[in-house]
Structures are given as C-alpha cells and as structure tokens.
Amino acid sequence: RFGPTVQFLTQVNLVILLLYGGHLVSTDQLPLGTGLIVFAGLLQQFSNQVANLSSLAGTIQQSLTGARRVLEVLDAEEEVAQPAKPWIPTSVTGKVEIQGVWFEYDNGTPILRDITLTIEPGQRVGFLGGVGEGKSTLLSLLPRFYDPQCGVVKIDGVDVRQWDLTTLRRSVGLVLQEPLLLSNTIAANIAFGNPNATADQIREVARMAAADAFIEQTVDGYETMLGQFGMSLSGGQRQRLALARALITNPPILLLDDPVSAIDPETEHEILAALKTAIQGRTTLIVASRLSSLRQCDKIVVLNAGEIVQQGTHDELLGQPGIYRDVAIVQGFLPQESVDSIQESERLGGARR
Ligand SMILES: Nc1ncnc2c1ncn2[C@@H]1O[C@H](COP(=O)(O)OP(=O)(O)OP(=O)(O)O)[C@@H](O)[C@H]1O
Ligand SMILES: [Mg+2]
C-alpha cells in the first residue's frame, strides 16, 4: 500500500540531491567531491528508512486485520457485557443446560426456537442439521458470542450471563468451522488463548491434537512461520492446529463446529482419532454433517428449522423414521436389506394413504 509513496520519495531524493546539493556546492558550503557523496549517502539512508517503515506498516496492517478478525470472535464485545458481580468458579465440571432458548439475529427471523437440552459433564453430544439450521448459532451461545432473547444457557448450574467472561471463554474451547490462523509462528498460533503457555504445554496439546508429527517435519518446527509470508497448511493440518489451540486452556467444555467438513475421508479418519484423545474427560458438543463423526456420540440431536426434531443414540435414531435415518441411507450407513425393507414399507404406507 505504501509502495508507490516510497518510489515517489526516491524520485524526490534525486531532485533534492540535485537542487539542494547543487545549491550548497555553488554557494561553497559543500565541497563538490566527497561532500556531495556524503550528502547523497545520507539521503540514501533516509530513503531506506522510509522503505523499511513502509514495509513495517504493511506488516502491522496485516496483523491488525488478522487480530481484528480474531478479536471479533473472541470479544464480540458490543453484543454482551461482563456482569456486575462476575461469577468465578473454583473448578468447572462442564454440565451444560440449555433451557427454552429462542434466538434471532437483528433481522427478526427466529433461528433457534425453544431449544431445551441438558448435557452431563463429560458427555459427547452430536448435532446434525441442514445448511443454515442454526447449529453454529447454538454453539456460539455457550461462550456468549451472543445472548438469547428468551431462555437461559447454564454451565455448572449458573447462567452464563453471570459468569466472568474471561473465565467462561477459557472454560469453553472452540474449534471453528473455518479456523483462523495468524501470520505468526506455529507455537504462537497454538498459544493464542494462553500467552503464558510454556513450550512443554504447547507440545503437549499439539500431541493431543495429533499435530506434533507434521509440525516437527516443518523447517523450523514450532517456530515455523504461517500465513502470507510463511508456510500454508492443508485443511487437515489447520484443523489439528485449531484443535491444539482450543486445548491450550485445558477447557472442560469443547465445541467442535463441523471439524471434518472440508476434509477428505482419509484425513477425516486421522482427525477423528485425534479428537478421541482430545475430548477425553471433556463435555463435547460436535456439529457434523457426516454420521461417521456422530455415531460415537452419547446422544445425537437433530435440528430442523431451528427446532430439535429428534434425539437419541446412533442406533436409536437408525431405528426410527426421520431425518437421521434418511441421511444414514444416503451416506451408506444402513445395509442394503434394511434400506430395501424401509423403502418397501414406505411404499405400502404411501399406497394406503
Ligand atoms: N451474524 C449473523 N447475522 C445475521 N444472520 C446470521 C448471522 N449468522 C448466521 N446468520 C443466519 O442464521 C442462520 C443460521 O446460521 P448458522 O450459521 O447458525 O447455521 P448452521 O446450521 O451453522 O449452518 P452451516 O451448516 O452452513 O454451518 C442462517 O440463516 C444464517 O444466514
Ligand atoms: Mg455452521
């Protein structure tokens, strides 16, 4: 952005050199030989400094853009406020209660309609739903990126609006649908939520997220730069890094927003294996469009038009008509005989109607 200005300044340099230098020489204030060369050298240095400054400004600008995007996610300040008497728990077990929650964005269309759901500490709950059904919105109510218009979200029995905001957000680890990475080192990207993290802690969460192997293979390991002027990562690598970042505060609650959506089936397998270790002992809410990510969950919740339309285990939901079984058929999760008999009985049902 400052490039053209710098080029212009360099031209100006030459003009200054000729005019002012010429003036000094002609008025005998500067000896023609060495004096002019020293003067030219000074001007040269000056223009180098300006060039440095401008590239620094460019870097700062990029960092600011990156930081602003991250802060939008982390702060969402204009939406919610720190309570007057913030609740700071001594320990968090990770029980989640969503009670009668209605939510709409500014445009007035209800996105979540009367959602009620209790999740016990350490439970894994999966969410299935079509595009734009409000899955990400529901997750975003836990760390209070938004507050619902009606109803209440509680963690460990306390309304999240009573929680100290920093404690709340450190207790809820979040892996976004499209993880944001900073133009910084791998270590800094992982330590983002906990700048005091030690090198050992960073390595430990990387191991948990199955990211250590690929990190150690990069040129500078944990000091490898990412982003525009650094290394770019594959979708699976980004997800694992985002997972490591979410784990750095050792959160009792983990929110995974479609962590394998943009990933090929082979890498999906690796991510799911990594997740298995990472979610150990944490309450986990996982949004997924593939049943391979959902079938292991203790409970699966199906959202449709902002409402919970089905809940149960993988096997329970396969045994009843509904969205889950339809998706299972499309994704090849039912043996062909079962599909045939379901289609047969539906045809009979249709004929009777
Ligand atoms: N910040 C926002 N302001 C206004 N509307 C929004 C905002 N974020 C999401 N929406 C709308 O709310 C609805 C639910 O969005 P949400 O992202 O929660 O859906 P989703 O189930 O996560 O979808 P996807 O499967 O695409 O991730 C959508 O119609 C979306 O357009
Ligand atoms: Mg979403």
Side-chain angles (χ1 to χ4, degrees):
R1 207 162 295 178
F2 291 92
T5 320
V6 172
Q7 272 167 18
F8 176 69
L9 277 174
T10 317
Q11 308 298 324
V12 169
N13 253 355
L14 195 63
V15 175
I16 294 176
L17 178 64
L18 290 176
L19 290 183
Y20 188 59
H23 170 73
L24 289 178
V25 171
S26 68
T27 54
D28 274 345
Q29 294 179 49
L30 192 71
L32 184 54
T34 44
L36 200 57
I37 290 172
V38 170
F39 185 62
L42 285 174
L43 278 176
Q44 182 62 43
Q45 276 186 12
F46 169 74
S47 88
N48 284 346
Q49 292 306 323
V50 171
N52 282 345
L53 268 179
S54 85
S55 78
L56 182 66
T59 313
I60 290 174
Q61 243 176 11
Q62 278 157 12
S63 314
L64 284 180
T65 316
R68 199 159 49 229
R69 287 178 66 196
V70 172
L71 290 176
E72 271 167 19
V73 175
L74 290 183
D75 286 352
E77 212 73 84
E78 70 282 9
E79 305 288 345
V80 300
Q82 168 84 344
K85 288 184 191 156
W87 158 253
I88 304 181
T90 45
S91 70
V92 184
T93 64
K95 180 170 178 153
V96 176
E97 292 161 278
I98 301 170
Q99 295 168 344
V101 160
W102 287 76
F103 179 80
E104 59 188 48
Y105 290 101
D106 301 331
N107 58 13
T109 319
I111 304 293
L112 300 173
R113 300 158 178 267
D114 200 15
I115 302 284
T116 294
L117 187 65
T118 299
I119 305 171
E120 297 300 330
Q123 229 183 1
R124 286 171 300 175
V125 175
F127 293 85
L128 178 73
V131 170
E133 302 279 14
K135 307 178 295 290
S136 300
T137 304
L138 182 61
L139 293 191
S140 71
L141 301 182
L142 272 73
R144 285 191 76 203
F145 295 149
Y146 301 99
D147 284 335
Q149 282 82 14
C150 287
V152 50
V153 177
K154 290 181 185 170
I155 292 180
D156 282 14
V158 177
D159 188 335
V160 288
R161 284 171 290 205
Q162 300 303 318
W163 276 65
D164 170 60
L165 210 48
T166 309
T167 312
L168 176 70
R169 289 182 180 170
R170 281 174 154 256
S171 306
V172 180
L174 173 64
V175 179
L176 290 173
Q177 236 165 336
E178 285 153 32
L180 291 167
L181 295 180
L182 309 172
S183 291
N184 206 330
T185 63
I186 289 181
N189 268 282
I190 294 177
F192 185 76
N194 183 6
N196 299 324
T198 64
D200 281 343
Q201 286 171 323
I202 292 174
R203 255 194 300 277
E204 192 193 333
V205 291
R207 243 194 318 272
M208 264 191 246
D212 55 333
F214 86 79
I215 293 174
E216 268 148 28
Q217 277 166 17
T218 60
V219 221
D220 295 320
Y222 285 82
E223 294 310 313
T224 301
M225 286 295 294
L226 299 180
Q228 206 161 6
F229 301 114
M231 200 188 147
S232 55
L233 299 176
S234 73
Q237 290 170 334
R238 296 168 74 88
Q239 282 294 351
R240 275 175 275 181
L241 220 52
L243 180 58
R245 173 194 288 167
L247 295 174
I248 197 75
T249 58
N250 192 21
I253 300 172
L254 202 52
L255 309 180
L256 306 168
D257 196 350
D258 225 345
V260 294
S261 61
I263 288 168
D264 59 279
E266 200 171 317
T267 324
E268 175 184 10
H269 189 74
E270 283 173 33
I271 304 277
L272 290 182
L275 282 179
K276 218 168 184 173
T277 334
I279 68 177
Q280 227 35 263
R282 306 179 206 276
T283 308
T284 308
L285 282 69
I286 175 169
V287 169
S289 43
R290 295 190 199 148
L291 303 197
S292 43
S293 310
L294 295 173
R295 60 187 304 184
Q296 306 290 344
C297 290
D298 301 308
K299 176 155 77 179
I300 299 155
V301 172
V302 181
L303 289 172
N304 187 29
E307 283 180 296
I308 296 180
V309 291
Q310 282 186 290
Q311 36 180 319
T313 63
H314 178 75
D315 289 332
E316 284 165 9
L317 294 178
L318 281 189
Q320 47 179 265
I323 292 175
Y324 196 85
R325 197 171 71 183
D326 295 345
V327 173
I329 292 172
V330 173
Q331 295 187 6
F333 273 84
L334 277 183
Q336 193 55 44
E337 320 69 278
S338 321
V339 176
D340 289 342
S341 77
I342 287 169
Q343 282 168 349
E344 180 65 20
S345 70
E346 273 170 7
R347 201 167 48 241
L348 290 176
R352 232 178 284 131
R353 263 182 262 133

mmCIF file of all heavy atoms in Angstrom, residues 130-137 139 177 257-258 287, ligand 2:
data_model
loop_
_atom_site.group_PDB
_atom_site.id
_atom_site.type_symbol
_atom_site.label_atom_id
_atom_site.label_comp_id
_atom_site.label_asym_id
_atom_site.label_seq_id
_atom_site.Cartn_x
_atom_site.Cartn_y
_atom_site.Cartn_z
ATOM 1 N N GLY A 130 -29.411 -29.393 8.536
ATOM 2 C CA GLY A 130 -29.096 -28.901 7.203
ATOM 3 C C GLY A 130 -28.342 -27.585 7.271
ATOM 4 O O GLY A 130 -28.119 -27.032 8.349
ATOM 5 N N VAL A 131 -27.962 -27.087 6.094
ATOM 6 C CA VAL A 131 -27.230 -25.829 5.996
ATOM 7 C C VAL A 131 -28.082 -24.695 6.562
ATOM 8 O O VAL A 131 -29.268 -24.585 6.248
ATOM 9 C CB VAL A 131 -26.872 -25.552 4.519
ATOM 10 C CG1 VAL A 131 -26.332 -24.141 4.350
ATOM 11 C CG2 VAL A 131 -25.883 -26.585 4.019
ATOM 12 N N GLY A 132 -27.492 -23.890 7.437
ATOM 13 C CA GLY A 132 -28.175 -22.706 7.959
ATOM 14 C C GLY A 132 -29.293 -22.999 8.946
ATOM 15 O O GLY A 132 -30.154 -22.156 9.191
ATOM 16 N N GLU A 133 -29.274 -24.180 9.562
ATOM 17 C CA GLU A 133 -30.331 -24.532 10.521
ATOM 18 C C GLU A 133 -30.059 -23.985 11.921
ATOM 19 O O GLU A 133 -30.857 -24.201 12.829
ATOM 20 C CB GLU A 133 -30.510 -26.057 10.600
ATOM 21 C CG GLU A 133 -30.855 -26.712 9.284
ATOM 22 C CD GLU A 133 -32.329 -26.600 8.914
ATOM 23 O OE1 GLU A 133 -33.024 -25.792 9.551
ATOM 24 O OE2 GLU A 133 -32.762 -27.300 7.994
ATOM 25 N N GLY A 134 -28.909 -23.359 12.124
ATOM 26 C CA GLY A 134 -28.642 -22.732 13.414
ATOM 27 C C GLY A 134 -27.697 -23.492 14.325
ATOM 28 O O GLY A 134 -27.615 -23.202 15.515
ATOM 29 N N LYS A 135 -26.932 -24.427 13.765
ATOM 30 C CA LYS A 135 -26.011 -25.226 14.588
ATOM 31 C C LYS A 135 -24.886 -24.353 15.153
ATOM 32 O O LYS A 135 -24.613 -24.382 16.356
ATOM 33 C CB LYS A 135 -25.427 -26.379 13.757
ATOM 34 C CG LYS A 135 -26.503 -27.228 13.086
ATOM 35 C CD LYS A 135 -25.907 -28.328 12.225
ATOM 36 C CE LYS A 135 -25.120 -27.817 11.024
ATOM 37 N NZ LYS A 135 -25.933 -27.207 9.954
ATOM 38 N N SER A 136 -24.248 -23.571 14.280
ATOM 39 C CA SER A 136 -23.159 -22.703 14.747
ATOM 40 C C SER A 136 -23.703 -21.662 15.728
ATOM 41 O O SER A 136 -23.052 -21.331 16.717
ATOM 42 C CB SER A 136 -22.487 -21.997 13.568
ATOM 43 O OG SER A 136 -21.945 -22.938 12.675
ATOM 44 N N THR A 137 -24.893 -21.165 15.434
ATOM 45 C CA THR A 137 -25.515 -20.175 16.319
ATOM 46 C C THR A 137 -25.715 -20.756 17.712
ATOM 47 O O THR A 137 -25.392 -20.109 18.714
ATOM 48 C CB THR A 137 -26.873 -19.731 15.732
ATOM 49 O OG1 THR A 137 -26.654 -19.241 14.405
ATOM 50 C CG2 THR A 137 -27.509 -18.649 16.578
ATOM 51 N N LEU A 139 -24.058 -23.178 19.185
ATOM 52 C CA LEU A 139 -22.764 -23.303 19.862
ATOM 53 C C LEU A 139 -22.284 -21.943 20.373
ATOM 54 O O LEU A 139 -21.707 -21.840 21.453
ATOM 55 C CB LEU A 139 -21.708 -23.899 18.924
ATOM 56 C CG LEU A 139 -21.885 -25.346 18.469
ATOM 57 C CD1 LEU A 139 -20.620 -25.827 17.775
ATOM 58 C CD2 LEU A 139 -22.228 -26.279 19.631
ATOM 59 N N GLN A 177 -15.588 -23.681 12.307
ATOM 60 C CA GLN A 177 -15.760 -24.320 11.008
ATOM 61 C C GLN A 177 -14.569 -24.020 10.088
ATOM 62 O O GLN A 177 -14.046 -24.898 9.434
ATOM 63 C CB GLN A 177 -17.029 -23.764 10.365
ATOM 64 C CG GLN A 177 -18.020 -24.816 9.984
ATOM 65 C CD GLN A 177 -19.389 -24.226 9.692
ATOM 66 O OE1 GLN A 177 -19.750 -23.162 10.165
ATOM 67 N NE2 GLN A 177 -20.155 -24.934 8.902
ATOM 68 N N ASP A 257 -17.122 -27.256 15.709
ATOM 69 C CA ASP A 257 -18.093 -26.902 14.674
ATOM 70 C C ASP A 257 -17.685 -27.524 13.348
ATOM 71 O O ASP A 257 -16.863 -26.974 12.624
ATOM 72 C CB ASP A 257 -18.214 -25.383 14.566
ATOM 73 C CG ASP A 257 -19.476 -24.986 13.810
ATOM 74 O OD1 ASP A 257 -20.133 -25.878 13.231
ATOM 75 O OD2 ASP A 257 -19.818 -23.796 13.799
ATOM 76 N N ASP A 258 -18.254 -28.653 13.063
ATOM 77 C CA ASP A 258 -18.006 -29.359 11.803
ATOM 78 C C ASP A 258 -16.510 -29.492 11.495
ATOM 79 O O ASP A 258 -16.041 -29.035 10.453
ATOM 80 C CB ASP A 258 -18.714 -28.632 10.656
ATOM 81 C CG ASP A 258 -19.436 -29.633 9.755
ATOM 82 O OD1 ASP A 258 -19.140 -30.829 9.859
ATOM 83 O OD2 ASP A 258 -20.281 -29.209 8.949
ATOM 84 N N VAL A 287 -20.687 -30.507 16.026
ATOM 85 C CA VAL A 287 -21.571 -30.368 14.872
ATOM 86 C C VAL A 287 -20.940 -31.139 13.730
ATOM 87 O O VAL A 287 -19.737 -31.033 13.508
ATOM 88 C CB VAL A 287 -21.710 -28.879 14.470
ATOM 89 C CG1 VAL A 287 -22.392 -28.746 13.124
ATOM 90 C CG2 VAL A 287 -22.460 -28.112 15.542
HETATM 91 MG MG MG B 2 -22.291 -23.561 10.882
#
